[in-house]
Amino acid sequence: MTVLATPVPITARTDTRIRTVSLWHVPLTSHTAYYMADGKTCDTVETVVIAVETNSGLTGWGEVCPIPHYLPAYARGVEPALLELAPVILGADPVGVGATMAAAESWLPGHVYAKSALDIALWDITGQVAGLPLHALLGGRRQADLPLYHSITCIDPDEMSRIARDAQAQGITQFQAKLGASGDWQTDVERLTKVREAVGPGPLVYGDWNCGATSLDATRVGRAVSHLDVMLEQPCATLDDCARVRAATGLPMKLDELAHDTASLLEAHRLGIMDAVALKLSKFGGLSATRRARDLCLHLGSKMCIEDTWGSDITTAALLHLGAATEPARVLNVCDLSGYVAPRLAPDAPTRANGRIAPPEGPGLGVVVDRVALGKPDLILE
């Protein structure tokens, strides 16, 4: 006998619409100034925080923090982008993240970094409406916590090795050594060698030029350390130059700055320079686009560092949720960006413990932003 279930009536969701969007510019000061190749630095950097509020009383938080002179992104460009997008944002359904972001792209093509904060805020609201943490909506939680790497500023080689040992004592097992700030390849050899020696065999060590090396200098460094267990990260400003370095040194390579959309991922994979890849939320345009990039990388076979360019607790929470919803064997690491800067925007947000970090537990992003500390918004759209 076949028993047919009685259909359960679907209760319509309360009509939720975006009522206001507020924006703040917040200076974040690094605990340690970060020196990188080609004169790039992270010392005090302005992050942009937005709050998307609904007619039902929910607030979704987003954040984007471009590093000056680093990528085609500008913190002060977010405000005019949101002003331009106001006609398609205000009154929209925040729970239809894909539909709202598609309308935003149609209205203002490109400017993905400015849309990243909006996309994150919409996901935050969607999770709150569902009563679920974002990792449950991004594929389901695959691991309790995630491995971290520690980024080491490009300074004297002995001081870099000391920083590596200190981080290792706190449980870190992956170390990114910044290279190229001094402009001579021999010192970069010393930097990589001493950091590798400081942490001993086993931990992952990779040298990162942030696109600031010529293929000649990066090749000379790579050949000089080819006997060591190290990886190279984004030595040059073009995919072809990175491929030349990979072929000349035989060392595995992680892609970063040049990975920003489907086409760049496919081309990097074709060139064989994507053993690992950094997926940064603001480069792709938020959680929605980065999740699509994540899924493509699962197909291509690359390990992933799921992170963002810079920022504090809001963007850190977003990337942790996406990382937790990704196959553990394919997550190289994540980054606790909020642990590198002050002030903390959500004082109770997760922090590193024994070299790992867990996503927040509450619905949506799961962070409680200190709105009083933010002060008066620089922009209110309503």
Side-chain angles (χ1 to χ4, degrees):
M1 181 178 66
T2 302
V3 178
L4 298 177
T6 303
V8 178
I10 298 174
T11 303
R13 175 171 57 86
T14 302
D15 187 43
T16 301
R17 299 288 164 178
I18 296 173
R19 180 173 58 85
T20 63
V21 178
S22 303
L23 176 147
W24 295 261
H25 299 100
V26 182
L28 298 177
T29 300
S30 302
H31 300 309
T32 300
Y34 276 81
Y35 300 104
M36 300 175 279
D38 203 25
K40 299 169 185 173
T41 61
C42 273
D43 188 357
T44 296
V45 177
E46 189 171 75
T47 196
V48 181
V49 174
I50 70 167
V52 176
E53 297 173 272
T54 72
N55 58 357
S56 58
L58 298 175
T59 300
W61 292 94
E63 180 184 9
V64 61
C65 187
I67 299 174
H69 321 298
Y70 177 62
L71 289 170
Y74 175 49
R76 291 283 166 159
V78 179
E79 181 175 341
L82 289 179
L83 282 166
E84 183 71 19
L85 288 168
V88 295
I89 297 174
L90 298 176
D93 184 352
V95 179
V97 180
T100 300
M101 294 308 298
E105 178 62 22
S106 178
W107 189 268
L108 178 66
H111 304 277
V112 295
Y113 72 95
K115 294 171 184 166
S116 181
L118 174 62
D119 182 86
I120 292 169
L122 297 182
W123 274 104
D124 189 15
I125 293 172
T126 299
Q128 293 175 52
V129 169
L132 295 169
L134 283 189
H135 56 71
L137 303 179
L138 295 170
R141 191 166 189 167
R142 305 295 298 275
Q143 53 187 321
D145 54 20
L146 301 126
L148 290 162
Y149 74 90
H150 188 78
S151 184
I152 305 172
T153 181
C154 189
I155 50 177
D156 177 77
D158 288 328
E159 182 63 10
M160 291 178 71
S161 66
R162 182 198 64 78
I163 294 171
R165 286 192 297 271
D166 288 349
Q168 187 178 38
Q170 299 171 25
I172 294 290
T173 60
Q174 301 186 41
F175 305 86
Q176 179 197 67
K178 295 295 186 183
L179 304 176
S182 57
D184 63 299
W185 68 272
Q186 296 95 331
T187 307
D188 286 337
V189 172
E190 188 179 359
R191 289 179 173 111
L192 267 177
T193 301
K194 289 194 171 181
V195 170
R196 176 75 273 173
E197 292 173 347
V199 301
L204 177 65
V205 172
Y206 49 104
D208 180 18
W209 283 274
N210 294 106
C211 296
T214 63
S215 59
L216 173 60
D217 285 346
T219 295
R220 296 175 86 178
V221 173
R223 285 180 171 174
V225 300
S226 61
H227 62 292
L228 301 175
D229 176 19
V230 295
M231 180 170 66
L232 306 181
E233 179 176 354
Q234 192 69 66
C236 306
T238 70
L239 293 176
D240 286 338
D241 277 349
C242 289
R244 277 190 280 275
V245 174
R246 176 71 165 86
T249 63
L251 291 172
M253 186 168 290
K254 176 187 171 190
L255 197 65
D256 182 0
E257 285 83 356
L258 295 177
H260 56 84
D261 59 12
T262 298
S264 59
L265 293 173
L266 290 171
E267 179 63 7
H269 180 261
R270 187 189 69 81
L271 290 170
I273 55 175
M274 209 167 73
D275 300 291
V277 59
L279 301 182
K280 294 183 174 178
L281 300 182
S282 60
K283 285 197 303 175
F284 286 87
L287 281 167
S288 300
T290 309
R291 179 177 63 166
R292 293 193 294 269
R294 184 274 311 267
D295 292 344
L296 176 59
C297 288
L298 289 173
H299 171 72
L300 295 176
S302 299
K303 285 214 169 190
M304 291 166 274
C305 173
I306 298 175
E307 55 173 344
D308 209 341
T309 48
W310 206 239
S312 188
D313 297 290
I314 299 168
T315 194
T316 295
L319 67 90
L320 293 180
H321 282 292
L322 183 58
T326 302
E327 166 59 42
R330 302 294 292 284
V331 178
L332 182 71
N333 50 46
V334 295
C335 187
D336 57 336
L337 293 165
S338 53
Y340 289 85
V341 298
R344 298 292 298 266
L345 302 181
D348 294 331
T351 57
R352 65 172 63 181
N354 299 317
R356 300 180 72 87
I357 191 168
E361 296 290 346
L365 286 175
V367 295
V368 179
V369 176
D370 186 353
R371 193 159 187 162
V372 173
L374 288 178
K376 183 179 178 182
D378 297 316
L379 172 71
I380 299 177
L381 299 175
E382 57 186 2

